[in-house]
Amino acid sequence: MKLQTIAKLISEVDPLARHYDNPHDGTDYTVWREYERLGAARDDRHGYGWKFQIDRYTKQEFDETVNQLEIMLAKTPGIAYAYLVDYEQETGYIHHIFDCEGV
């Protein structure tokens, strides 16, 4: 999976999502980053993929963007993911973490 493909999938859910960093101004926001290159053998050809993480920061208990991100990840062929949640008491943000692999 190419980085451009990952960016497109995420931006279809959240057009304001940013790569690496987002200037958070107290509103909900989404950022993503790739962190490891994967090698994958398919159909006797060698292709590559990425491990990447999507972080959604929200103060809404039931944020619809989180739901839409998970739907997108679940239905996209070639993506596996783990979903974690952390509450950041200092900021009041609920931090939704999607740890993904895309080939």
Side-chain angles (χ1 to χ4, degrees), residues 16-32 57 93:
L16 299 177
R18 298 291 177 255
H19 195 200
Y20 298 121
D21 194 21
N22 194 332
H24 36 98
D25 57 4
T27 61
D28 297 349
Y29 63 98
T30 305
V31 294
W32 70 277
Y57 295 87
Y93 277 107

